[in-house]
Amino acid sequence: MQPIRISYFSDVLCVWAYIAQVRLDELKTNFQDKIAIEYHFVPIFGNAREKLEQRWRDKGGFQGYSQHVQDVAGKFNHITVHPEIWTAVVPPSSTSCHLFLHAIQLLELKGIIPKSEKVFEKAIWTFREQFFTHLANVGDRAVQLEIAEKLGLPIAEIQAQIDSGEAYAQLSKDLDLVKEHTVAVSPTLIFNEGRQRLNGNVGYRVIEANIRELLHNPPDEQSWC
């Protein structure tokens, strides 16, 4: 049986996606080769500063949003958030970060980096963690390069994927999928070729139940319910 394909859409700057990473890790541990997670980016914070200024203008501005993120994170003991999140450093956009991460992904797809090392997944987590715990402006290219160097990645090869336009093509694919599936929430999980989806802060057991249903009732088999 082919693995259940899960399209996972998220924004690197989204606290809910930061929280949800532990659920993805648990899925991979429990289902292993029975699932295949495909990572995509949705630009919830594509224009971060202006978006937050407008939406939180009457709710305390950046300080109000910072408090909101800290309150949300405080309900989960597996993550930490810097007390000055979204105040001391406000990245202008997550799009630059998503582009850079796609360049790293291309290194795996081309075999420049062994896919078995799961560098792309590690990089996504590292970028999130650096932003939420260390206030790294992950939208800044200099910061991106610094993180890549710490991960031991070939900088020239990453830059080549961006310069060639291939990383932009990967990012464009994500935008096409976002439109096709009308993704407007981070994170969003899409199963069964778009026929099932879970949006936002969904608990692990709910995600697991959806996967088990697909494993027990493959989409190409008829079911009465």
Side-chain angles (χ1 to χ4, degrees):
M1 181 179 175
Q2 292 294 316
I4 301 298
R5 308 194 77 81
I6 303 171
S7 294
Y8 184 75
F9 294 82
S10 70
D11 188 302
V12 167
L13 301 181
C14 172
V15 68
W16 293 111
Y18 179 43
I19 290 165
Q21 182 61 47
V22 68
R23 297 166 190 157
L24 291 186
D25 293 341
E26 188 73 6
L27 288 177
K28 289 182 286 185
T29 297
N30 291 336
F31 291 98
Q32 299 181 25
D33 59 353
K34 293 180 181 178
I35 63 171
I37 300 174
E38 300 173 348
Y39 295 90
H40 304 287
F41 299 113
V42 53
I44 301 298
F45 291 93
N47 186 12
R49 291 176 181 171
E50 186 174 321
K51 178 177 182 176
L52 293 179
E53 283 175 350
Q54 291 178 352
R55 294 196 177 185
W56 286 81
R57 180 177 295 133
D58 300 324
K59 295 183 286 185
F62 289 113
Q63 186 61 54
Y65 185 66
S66 174
Q67 189 59 56
H68 166 69
V69 170
Q70 292 177 64
D71 290 345
V72 166
K75 299 175 183 178
F76 302 89
N77 58 18
H78 67 281
I79 60 164
T80 57
V81 166
H82 195 284
E84 293 183 291
I85 192 72
W86 288 110
T87 53
V89 174
V90 181
S93 175
S94 58
T95 303
S96 171
C97 186
H98 296 163
L99 176 71
F100 193 87
L101 287 166
H102 270 310
I104 294 174
Q105 181 188 35
L106 284 166
L107 301 186
E108 285 189 343
L109 295 174
K110 294 182 176 183
I112 297 171
I113 293 175
K115 199 168 184 178
S116 60
E117 295 181 6
K118 300 186 181 300
V119 172
F120 178 50
E121 293 181 27
K122 292 177 182 176
I124 294 173
W125 171 251
T126 301
F127 273 70
R128 281 201 173 102
E129 189 176 41
Q130 285 295 307
F131 171 64
F132 283 105
T133 64
H134 300 292
L135 302 182
N137 183 0
V138 294
D140 186 282
R141 181 57 51 82
V143 175
Q144 295 165 3
L145 292 171
E146 183 180 342
I147 293 173
E149 287 179 354
K150 289 180 179 178
L151 290 171
L153 300 177
I155 301 302
E157 294 287 358
I158 293 174
Q159 191 63 53
Q161 310 312 311
I162 297 173
D163 293 344
S164 70
E166 290 182 83
Y168 287 95
Q170 292 294 108
L171 189 61
S172 182
K173 284 183 184 179
D174 279 355
L175 295 177
D176 289 341
L177 287 171
V178 165
K179 292 178 182 178
E180 178 183 342
H181 296 293
T182 60
V183 176
V185 176
S186 171
T188 292
L189 296 92
I190 295 179
F191 312 79
N192 201 2
E193 298 181 349
R195 289 185 286 272
Q196 291 172 246
R197 71 164 62 204
L198 297 172
N199 295 333
N201 182 37
V202 178
Y204 174 78
R205 296 301 178 194
V206 175
I207 303 172
E208 180 186 48
N210 277 260
I211 294 173
R212 293 198 183 280
E213 178 67 20
L214 289 172
L215 288 172
H216 295 149
N217 298 284
D220 57 346
E221 293 185 7
Q222 298 298 319
S223 174
W224 65 269
C225 61

